[in-house]
Amino acid sequence: NWLLILGAASVILGILLIVAIGIRIFLGYPLEVGGRKYFVQSAQYFNNKGCFRFAFNGGNYLGIVGTMFLKGIFTFLWTLLFIIPGIIKSYAYRMVPYILADNPNIGARRAIELSNEMTRGHKFDMFILDLSFLGWYLLGMLALLIGVLFVHPYKDATEAELYLVLRSNAIESGK
């Protein structure tokens, strides 16, 4: 009797996990890239209307989903080597959504390669930047998690500015 309940619970949890992963891949990835586009457009004082919708338009969708999925697979595989290589590669691949926001048809391999090149020599600085938000997140959690809702867009805007600097450096160096 308990085995039947345990089996049914594990099947339900498995189905919920598959549904959650499917939502993350097919809805979350395009919205993430659209959000990155929104913050980059805002940082440059460009029109940011329709940024969240752009990933679902025409031929952008499959390229974005495929590239972000491949990025996730690569990060997962690097994490299997121990935690530290996964963390380092997560910083190396951090600019992929921004690159896709600028050029959604760049191709998965090229976007990942370009992100790797853009972040070369800057990963520790990016880590320090992340640490600078730790205090804000702790303060936001003290405010019954409401404050986190204000810190996260601030962090996203800061990362968009970081991308613009790294993109400018990459263009100047001919990448």
Side-chain angles (χ1 to χ4, degrees), residues 5 11 59 62 100 110 112-113 120 138-141 156 172:
I5 292 172
V11 166
L62 289 177
L100 290 173
R110 180 66 183 139
I112 291 170
E113 173 187 309
R120 186 171 291 125
L138 291 174
L139 190 62
M141 289 184 353
D156 287 341
E172 286 176 10

Side-chain angles (χ1 to χ4, degrees), residues 2-173:
W2 286 103
L3 283 171
L4 186 62
I5 292 172
L6 185 62
S10 63
V11 166
I12 290 172
L13 284 176
I15 291 171
L16 288 175
L17 180 66
I18 290 171
V19 168
I21 290 171
I23 289 172
R24 172 66 179 137
I25 291 171
F26 297 110
L27 186 63
Y29 286 159
L31 287 176
E32 180 182 347
V33 171
R36 301 300 186 246
K37 184 174 184 69
Y38 173 84
F39 281 104
V40 169
Q41 296 285 81
S42 296
Q44 296 173 317
Y45 302 104
F46 293 156
N47 182 4
N48 56 15
K49 291 181 180 147
C51 287
F52 290 98
R53 195 176 50 233
F54 113 98
F56 296 100
N57 292 341
N60 296 345
Y61 181 75
L62 289 177
I64 287 171
V65 168
T67 302
M68 293 295 287
F69 183 71
L70 191 61
K71 171 192 165 257
I73 294 292
F74 283 173
T75 305
F76 173 73
L77 292 175
W78 278 103
T79 304
L80 289 177
L81 290 175
F82 291 114
I83 303 298
I84 302 301
I87 293 171
I88 291 170
K89 283 300 179 180
S90 72
Y91 280 103
Y93 302 153
R94 183 173 286 184
M95 295 298 128
V96 168
Y98 294 99
I99 293 167
L100 290 173
D102 274 347
N103 187 0
N105 299 315
I106 193 170
R109 298 269 182 194
R110 180 66 183 139
I112 291 170
E113 173 187 309
L114 191 56
S115 177
N116 216 352
E117 291 173 11
M118 287 171 66
T119 58
R120 186 171 291 125
H122 299 286
K123 290 179 198 69
F124 186 71
D125 296 330
M126 293 165 65
F127 177 71
I128 297 298
L129 182 66
D130 284 348
L131 285 180
S132 73
F133 286 99
L134 188 60
W136 286 108
Y137 278 113
L138 291 174
L139 190 62
M141 289 184 353
L142 286 176
L144 302 175
L145 297 176
I146 301 294
V148 174
L149 295 174
F150 296 100
V151 176
H152 201 68
Y154 176 50
K155 183 177 186 287
D156 287 341
T158 304
E159 283 189 4
E161 292 288 345
L162 172 67
Y163 168 71
L164 290 172
V165 169
L166 293 177
R167 182 181 74 178
S168 174
N169 292 346
I171 290 171
E172 286 176 10
S173 67

